[in-house]
Amino acid sequence: MNKYFNKALFYTEKKNILASMSAYGICYAIALLQFSGNFFALKRISKLSNITDYTTPAYTLNFMYFFFFAFCITTVVYSYMEKDKKYYFMLTQPYSRTSIIVTKTISFIISIIVPAVIYGVISFLILAFNKNYLGSNFGKLSVELFLKLFSIIAILVLLSTLLQLFQMVFGKMIVGVIFPVIYVCMIFLNLSLMKNFVSKNINGLRTAIEYINIFLFSPGNLQVGEKSFSTLSFSTINYIDKCYFLTSIILLLISAILVYAAVKLNSKIKAENTSDIFMFRFSEVIFKVIFSLTFTIIGSLIISGLLYYLYSAVLGMNYSTYLMNNYGIQGKESIEHNLYLVLDILWIPMFVFIYKLFSKIMNGRRIQ
Amino acid sequence: MLQVINVSKSFSGKEAIKNINLEVKKGTIMGLVGPNGAGKSTLLRTIVDIYDPDCGKIQVNGYDIKDNFELKQAIGYVADRNDFFNSYKINDIVKYYKFAYKNFDIDKFYELNAVFEIPLNKKLSKLSKGNASRVAFMFSMSLAPELLVLDEPTSGLDPIVKRKFLQLLVEDVSERGTTVVISSHNLSDLESICDQVVFLNDGEILKDNTLDNLKTSMKKLQIIFKDTAPSGFECWPEFINVTKLGRSYNIVTDNYSEELLAKLKDNGALFIEELNLTLEDMLILAVEK
């Protein structure tokens, strides 16, 4: 056990656990007030059949609300301690590197589970004391409550472990917080921009980006392609609402994989790098790839836009209108997608060029 | 007890310590001295497993220190910066040590605090640098360590506390046979307690010897010749520094022996006076050689 869990380390996490628990506690308290307020108000004025669907304890727990809050709090808690100071001390202490991560993860999980259990118990008691009023709905509401709590715990555990993994990659604390957020924003930005400018001539890529966009922009939803009237149309299903339990188990499994990855990365961390921006060579490569991709996409679209307006000015009319007048809707679309194809092909050498330029600038700065 | 075997460590391509080999026997106080940037702190941090060496290994009692948490139970380390527990009260740090170390002796801690008089209800961040160093030293001593690694422990201490500190250290070594590795710029302190001294410069060991041997082999000699000094005298390989004042020569040798005295007399030395060097003189001469 000593290799994986350490009481002394857990003791140093005490303040962080209490801070996280208080933050989550505030969320649950708001949700509880909202639920109980609605429940008792509607109980007074309505019949049971009208209220069961939307005033359950589970309903008041909003996923996105927790996503945001958990992310902020965990980030603040993590920022609380300076990484270099922490590592320089911890590496001299009688516990393994593995126990540093595992103990931290356990303390995260405790700070997530305890408030959730308290919320669950109080909500359940409210339901239990109104069992006669709820009748046959009591069982359904109770099961729904605990399933949703379980899925929230799973999501928060995943978020915490993901953040822990990000923290492993970047040395400087503020950078360790800002960079992952910038990365995610840039990936979203690139995908949403690319979606409109990938040519239909490379339909596989266009469809893949479509899928990824739906997955990322609408968490919990999955897009399903359906072929009807010889065209492919998409419909969205909400997989979280459909199967709380299974989704939660999958999220917890992913969390376990992330913890394992964090343990492996932690064993490779060099104390002297903890004050650098990039603690590993690969984190610098990822940074350069995402930055170069963003520059490529945004740069090429700005240039394309400028060329479009310049050519429109030369023609004396909007280029789209010109195409429409001369070739019809089908022809316009076909020409546009051929132009997009040229742009898409140009992205490859442009990306390589910007990546190399970026590497050269970074190396130059490093030598100075 | 402690073995440093072929250890090198570099940062951004610059070697901070180069191929270091040294051994410290049980119950020995080893002083690590050298100018700023010589690699002392790097070597100490490598010894306590903060830095992972590029090559070579550190062994304590024959076991590799790397991620060896059982071995670290027996190692006390006082860093040059002791600010991990800044937001903790001393009483809370006591609780941490009770959890972390099986052999943490709370009575010993209170005994030491009776000497150093640190208010236990104060946060570490509210203490001065000297007091923070005292706290770190008290905790390390309370572990009953087999190996104690001290990086500039006396910096920031007033002379009265410094004397108490050195006295406690020597007492612990004589009572329990603790092995101590200590680095300091205060060489007169080290001179009074060290058994073994290692001179480090530019990441390399210049000298590794017992203090007694160093004092015996490194001497300042004042020599007056009957006539003139033999030709090439100033370039004798035994000398590390030669200055001439009229007929008198002041030389420093790191190879003092009866043979050298005989050789000087054979070459016409009329008067030879031996003067002992301080550790500070030895370091300066060794670095400037």
Side-chain angles (χ1 to χ4, degrees):
Chain A
M1 195 60 183
N2 220 357
K3 196 186 168 192
Y4 301 105
F5 178 78
N6 186 277
K7 269 196 273 181
L9 269 170
F10 190 72
Y11 178 74
T12 63
E13 293 295 334
K14 197 177 73 179
K15 281 182 186 171
N16 295 348
I17 295 172
L18 288 174
S20 291
M21 272 176 28
S22 314
Y24 290 131
I26 291 167
C27 288
Y28 285 113
I30 293 167
L32 197 63
L33 283 173
Q34 202 184 338
F35 153 66
S36 55
N38 286 349
F39 183 84
F40 291 116
L42 286 164
K43 188 182 162 188
R44 276 198 300 274
I45 59 168
S46 312
K47 284 185 177 175
L48 177 67
S49 56
N50 297 331
I51 63 166
T52 46
D53 287 342
Y54 54 91
T55 54
T56 68
Y59 177 78
T60 48
L61 294 172
N62 186 303
F63 273 114
M64 291 313 288
Y65 175 66
F66 270 90
F67 275 3
F68 175 73
F69 208 78
F71 197 83
C72 292
I73 293 301
T74 333
T75 305
V76 170
V77 169
Y78 250 107
S79 325
Y80 202 71
M81 283 158 78
E82 291 166 42
K83 187 175 271 178
D84 51 350
K85 195 198 288 182
K86 195 166 82 177
Y87 265 82
Y88 272 63
F89 177 78
M90 284 181 169
L91 292 176
T92 66
Q93 295 297 294
Y95 32 73
S96 64
R97 280 183 175 232
T98 305
S99 69
I100 295 175
I101 298 299
V102 175
T103 309
K104 185 104 190 162
T105 309
I106 290 171
S107 66
F108 266 147
I109 292 172
I110 288 172
S111 67
I112 289 166
I113 286 179
V114 171
V117 168
I118 294 171
Y119 175 83
V121 169
I122 295 173
S123 303
F124 180 73
L125 286 176
I126 293 173
L127 295 178
F129 281 119
N130 292 281
K131 202 173 171 182
N132 291 338
Y133 168 68
L134 292 167
S136 60
N137 286 307
F138 171 71
K140 185 191 143 202
L141 292 179
S142 305
V143 170
E144 190 188 302
L145 167 70
F146 287 110
L147 279 178
K148 191 148 188 180
L149 268 180
F150 182 53
S151 61
I152 283 175
I153 289 171
I155 287 167
L156 292 179
V157 168
L158 178 74
L159 273 175
S160 310
T161 48
L162 189 64
L163 195 79
Q164 183 163 262
L165 195 65
F166 278 142
Q167 299 283 352
M168 300 271 106
V169 178
F170 301 102
K172 282 182 180 165
M173 210 60 225
I174 291 298
V175 172
V177 173
I178 294 171
F179 269 33
V181 177
I182 293 177
Y183 276 14
V184 174
C185 291
M186 283 199 297
I187 292 167
F188 278 19
L189 179 72
N190 288 334
L191 285 168
S192 60
L193 287 174
M194 279 171 82
K195 192 181 86 173
N196 298 319
F197 292 95
V198 171
S199 171
K200 273 185 179 169
N201 301 330
I202 35 175
N203 210 21
L205 181 64
R206 198 181 168 89
T207 313
I209 290 174
E210 188 83 19
Y211 272 117
I212 296 167
N213 269 317
I214 288 287
F215 185 76
L216 289 177
F217 287 107
S218 317
N221 294 306
L222 198 65
Q223 199 175 46
V224 181
E226 284 171 0
K227 205 154 189 172
S228 58
F229 302 111
S230 75
T231 56
L232 189 67
S233 67
F234 294 96
S235 62
T236 306
I237 58 157
N238 186 307
Y239 63 86
I240 287 183
D241 279 347
K242 288 239 181 289
C243 39
Y244 283 134
F245 189 72
L246 188 65
T247 313
S248 308
I249 295 289
I250 292 168
L251 294 181
L252 288 176
L253 283 175
I254 297 171
S255 305
I257 294 167
L258 293 179
V259 173
Y260 180 75
V263 166
K264 286 286 158 196
L265 273 183
N266 189 52
S267 67
K268 292 184 170 29
I269 284 178
K270 291 187 172 182
E272 65 268 26
N273 293 346
T274 49
S275 53
D276 293 347
I277 293 177
F278 303 109
M279 296 229 291
F280 299 97
R281 198 159 273 277
F282 75 83
S283 48
E284 189 178 330
V285 174
I286 296 171
F287 170 79
K288 284 193 289 190
V289 166
I290 295 176
F291 246 82
S292 307
L293 188 67
T294 310
F295 268 80
T296 306
I297 306 287
I298 293 177
S300 66
L301 293 182
I302 289 171
I303 293 167
S304 306
L306 284 174
L307 287 174
Y308 175 86
Y309 285 111
L310 201 67
Y311 195 59
S312 299
V314 172
L315 283 173
M317 69 162 80
N318 190 310
Y319 183 56
S320 291
T321 316
Y322 168 80
L323 287 177
M324 187 100 88
N325 291 344
N326 289 287
Y327 305 100
I329 294 177
Q330 296 261 329
K332 172 187 168 273
E333 200 171 285
S334 166
I335 291 169
E336 274 178 354
H337 278 272
N338 284 335
L339 288 172
Y340 290 163
L341 184 63
V342 174
L343 180 71
D344 298 346
I345 292 167
L346 280 174
W347 277 343
I348 298 165
M350 277 168 74
F351 170 77
V352 174
F353 173 73
I354 292 171
Y355 183 86
K356 290 203 165 175
L357 188 71
F358 202 48
S359 303
K360 206 171 178 181
I361 293 168
M362 282 180 83
N363 288 337
R365 286 179 67 87
R366 194 173 290 137
I367 289 159
Q368 281 164 23
Chain B
M1 170 66 191
L2 170 69
Q3 279 183 301
V4 179
I5 306 162
N6 292 327
V7 167
S8 297
K9 178 73 190 169
S10 56
F11 302 110
S12 307
K14 190 187 178 299
E15 272 197 303
I17 47 175
K18 300 165 197 168
N19 201 28
I20 302 286
N21 282 289
L22 62 90
E23 187 176 359
V24 187
K25 292 203 163 61
K26 186 175 163 56
T28 303
I29 302 180
M30 189 271 263
L32 191 61
V33 297
N36 288 330
K40 301 186 296 294
S41 290
T42 303
L43 179 57
L44 295 185
R45 286 173 190 164
T46 312
I47 288 173
V48 294
D49 196 29
I50 293 175
Y51 292 151
D52 198 8
D54 298 338
C55 62
K57 59 183 172 182
I58 307 289
Q59 286 189 335
V60 177
N61 287 333
Y63 297 101
D64 197 329
I65 186 76
K66 190 168 166 47
D67 211 17
N68 191 335
F69 52 94
E70 288 293 343
L71 203 56
K72 286 178 190 174
Q73 285 279 352
I75 300 173
Y77 172 58
V78 177
D80 50 346
R81 231 178 62 180
N82 298 291
D83 47 7
F84 176 77
F85 287 111
N86 263 354
S87 60
Y88 289 70
K89 287 179 180 172
I90 310 301
N91 272 330
D92 295 331
I93 309 175
V94 170
K95 283 180 197 161
Y96 167 85
Y97 272 86
K98 276 205 281 191
F99 285 130
Y101 289 89
K102 283 183 265 185
N103 39 354
F104 177 70
D105 183 350
I106 194 157
D107 295 331
K108 171 88 178 174
F109 178 81
Y110 289 132
E111 209 177 283
L112 288 166
N113 198 39
V115 178
F116 288 122
E117 297 170 335
I118 303 290
L120 299 178
N121 272 325
K122 252 192 171 179
K123 278 190 177 179
L124 190 69
S125 57
K126 303 281 177 200
L127 300 180
S128 66
K129 189 185 176 231
N131 278 350
S133 293
R134 286 191 223 185
V135 171
F137 177 69
M138 280 156 53
F139 277 112
S140 292
M141 290 289 275
S142 307
L143 308 176
E146 285 182 46
L147 173 66
L148 191 56
V149 181
L150 309 167
D151 193 356
E152 297 284 348
T154 53
S155 95
L157 297 185
D158 64 64
I160 301 155
V161 174
K162 200 194 292 177
R163 184 163 293 182
K164 284 180 190 170
F165 165 86
L166 295 173
Q167 198 180 332
L168 283 166
L169 191 65
V170 172
E171 275 172 16
D172 194 64
V173 172
S174 62
E175 281 167 20
R176 296 192 316 103
T178 314
T179 308
V180 180
V181 177
I182 179 170
S183 92
S184 177
H185 285 296
N186 204 328
L187 301 187
S188 58
D189 291 342
L190 292 189
E191 200 167 351
S192 62
I193 59 165
C194 284
D195 306 300
Q196 181 184 350
V197 179
V198 172
F199 289 172
L200 206 62
N201 187 39
D202 203 17
E204 286 174 305
I205 291 180
L206 295 181
K207 283 195 183 299
D208 173 10
N209 215 328
T210 63
L211 190 61
D212 288 343
N213 278 348
L214 273 178
K215 288 203 162 187
T216 316
S217 62
M218 275 187 94
K219 292 264 186 202
K220 188 175 182 180
L221 302 176
Q222 214 168 29
I223 306 165
I224 299 172
F225 284 95
K226 206 185 296 175
D227 301 313
T228 52
S231 65
F233 171 73
E234 291 173 26
C235 303
W236 280 17
E238 293 91 342
F239 302 158
I240 54 175
N241 187 279
V242 180
T243 49
K244 192 182 172 197
L245 283 166
R247 280 180 64 208
S248 147
Y249 283 89
N250 284 331
I251 66 145
V252 178
T253 175
D254 58 354
N255 202 5
Y256 179 81
S257 59
E258 289 300 320
E259 288 78 29
L260 177 66
L261 288 180
K263 188 177 170 185
L264 283 167
K265 281 177 186 162
D266 289 347
N267 280 279
L270 189 67
F271 172 81
I272 303 171
E273 189 183 9
E274 297 160 24
L275 300 164
N276 283 331
L277 290 168
T278 63
L279 192 58
E280 191 170 308
D281 292 331
M282 289 185 212
L283 174 69
I284 293 168
L285 289 162
V287 169
E288 286 177 350
K289 187 180 173 182

